[in-house]
Amino acid sequence: MEKTIQLKVRKDFDPRSQHTIIQLKGSLISRGYTQIIHILDQDDEFYINTFETPQEHQEEAQQYIAAFISEQNLTDTIYLK
């Protein structure tokens, strides 16, 4: 069974953060956590990025995302929902 993971991403961020967020999304795909990430508008401040991952990889994917956010100092830009 696949599980959906959501990321809440600010719309207003600097170019470095934009590059780093793209890097995160690429690494989620290259690590096999997902094949596609869907991007929707939530409101004027945030996008919602969603992707499905196999249940056996869900916890690993969430831990990877949380560590990436912390290591890259994106705690004010991207949120794991």
Side-chain angles (χ1 to χ4, degrees):
M1 174 184 281
E2 303 237 336
K3 293 288 186 175
T4 301
I5 295 177
Q6 291 186 344
L7 302 173
K8 185 175 171 180
V9 181
R10 284 200 177 280
K11 289 183 176 181
D12 181 25
F13 46 78
D14 60 65
R16 186 201 74 79
S17 294
Q18 180 180 11
H19 175 74
T20 307
I21 290 168
I22 292 169
Q23 189 177 20
L24 169 61
K25 292 177 185 180
S27 64
L28 291 171
I29 293 168
S30 68
R31 289 175 176 267
Y33 295 135
T34 189
Q35 292 182 4
I36 189 166
I37 299 173
H38 303 278
I39 303 170
L40 302 170
D41 275 332
Q42 176 180 322
D43 54 30
D44 291 339
E45 292 185 57
F46 293 98
Y47 294 111
I48 299 295
N49 292 218
T50 59
F51 65 93
E52 291 185 351
T53 190
Q55 187 166 350
E56 63 268 13
H57 295 298
Q58 182 182 15
E59 188 174 326
E60 180 183 339
Q62 289 176 325
Q63 289 174 351
Y64 175 77
I65 294 166
F68 189 95
I69 290 169
S70 178
E71 290 170 7
Q72 298 297 323
N73 197 27
L74 294 172
T75 54
D76 292 335
T77 305
I78 189 168
Y79 309 91
L80 183 60
K81 290 182 78 177

